Amino acid sequence: MHAPVLVINCGSSSIKYALVSDSPDTPRLAGLAERLGSPGARLRGTDSGGETFTRSLPEADPATALEAILGCLEGQHPVAVGHRIVHGGERFTRAVLIDDDVVAAIEATEALAPLHNPANLEGVKATRALFPDLPQVAVFDTAFHQSLPPHAYRYALPEALYRDHGIRRYGFHGTSHAHVSARADALAGIQGGWLTAHLGNGCSTCAVWQGKSRDTSMGLTPLEGLVMGTRSGDVDPGLHAHLARQLGWTLAEIDRVLNRDSGLLGLSGLSNDMRTLEQAAAEGHAGAALAIEVFCYRVAKSLAALSCALPRLDGIVFTGGIGENAPRVRERVVAALPHFGLVLDTATNAATAHGREGRIDAGGPQLWVIPTDEEGRIALETRQLIEERHA
Ligand code: ADP
């Protein structure tokens, strides 16, 4: 494998890994250590022959899990490690080489991502201890959106909240929006104006003009914006006070309901999974049908709003588990934007799923399905940084 980069995404109870070569045709060694910290912790992955394997992880802290992951790399030696870091605050506008100073700066943004950044950093620390001589790079979900202009990132709140506490819109899913918009540029042969819709368990939209994010639907936290699997997306900001006053809910309860019990799951009363909902809706489940309807309308509404950030609209790109695999959702989103002049090619749309890339319009602004590749993007940014250092 040529100059492979090890990509690590360390969460609170899982570590995703992928060994990514610089040749797109080389299969990746990839997998997931999960249920860390609980009984039944295990490592699942794919080897170079495409076979899957599962191993149990007896002492399942991140360091032990990372050692087990190293054992699955089949003797390949990464040239660098790229870490996914959720929040880079305002300091990190691109990927950076990790040193003690960068670790301290990521620690300083902990208040903005209390669930994610500490877990990401545990992975960084354990990996640095295992590979003290290997360059390690932090790639931030927020960095791609640091090009937002102030009118897109400021909330209409007292200035001191921004100045003293960093309360502003940051945006997330940056590696995904960066990857699919760059791919759309390459496929269309232009530096375009794209609206990208990352629709997975987490969902966000982004307006990208000539390779730069100009606005995005997520904000201070990944809760803002679209309806997601279990997250509510936008609600009236007065809702929190209302729930506290009228129902006596604590902050923790409000947080839990908006993040874990809402979205597709809350609306349908059935599931956060689009496949289950499509099936149930087809069988007459009213909640599932409503959940899909609200989901699609909100995607369209968000795309229409974000179109204000583009001087010209060249097209829309769908990605993420739903964006890549649910033709009916794409059809509904397109139908909910009648004034955009979109013309869907229904046959190509129906045939484009399961990791296939394709153009699905029959005229008007372009419509693309482009599989996301967050690991590939993290590896690319890591490699670019290492090459710059050696130039
Ligand atoms: P994550 O954000 O966790 O990475 P994914 O991008 O894998 O999640 O997206 C998960 C979502 O994609 C789920 O709602 C799942 O139902 C949906 N999905 C995956 N395959 C299909 C399919 N064939 N049809 C409809 N939805 C699908």
Side-chain angles (χ1 to χ4, degrees), residues 1 104 129 184 189 211-212 229 259 285 301 312 333 337 356:
M1 195 183 271
K212 289 197 160 36
N259 279 291
H285 190 291
K301 186 166 146 176
R312 184 186 75 226
V333 171
L337 291 164
R356 280 191 56 198

Side-chain angles (χ1 to χ4, degrees), residues 261-304:
D261 303 337
S262 299
L264 292 172
L265 174 66
L267 274 166
S268 66
L270 182 69
S271 171
N272 64 328
D273 191 297
M274 186 56 86
R275 277 164 298 200
T276 309
L277 295 180
E278 287 194 320
Q279 169 106 29
E283 289 162 5
H285 190 291
L290 177 69
I292 296 171
E293 218 170 300
V294 176
F295 180 90
C296 296
Y297 174 67
R298 291 274 293 275
V299 174
K301 186 166 146 176
S302 174
L303 293 173

Side-chain angles (χ1 to χ4, degrees), residues 305-326:
L306 288 196
S307 70
C308 299
L310 296 176
R312 184 186 75 226
L313 175 63
D314 290 301
I316 298 176
V317 182
F318 292 95
T319 193
I322 298 172
E324 293 165 29
N325 296 302

Side-chain angles (χ1 to χ4, degrees), residues 36-55:
L36 302 181
S38 353
R42 61 185 186 174
L43 175 61
R44 290 187 298 138
T46 314
D47 66 20
S48 53
E51 296 296 318
T52 54
F53 61 83
T54 304
R55 285 175 207 163

Side-chain angles (χ1 to χ4, degrees), residues 316-373:
I316 298 176
V317 182
F318 292 95
T319 193
I322 298 172
E324 293 165 29
N325 296 302
R328 284 285 298 138
V329 169
R330 297 192 297 251
E331 194 177 329
R332 280 169 178 272
V333 171
V334 168
L337 291 164
H339 45 292
F340 270 41
L342 306 168
V343 188
L344 185 72
D345 181 326
T346 46
T348 327
N349 180 44
T352 307
H354 311 303
R356 280 191 56 198
E357 179 178 86
R359 187 164 167 186
I360 55 167
D361 64 86
Q366 300 180 23
L367 295 168
W368 285 95
V369 177
I370 300 182
T372 194
D373 183 9

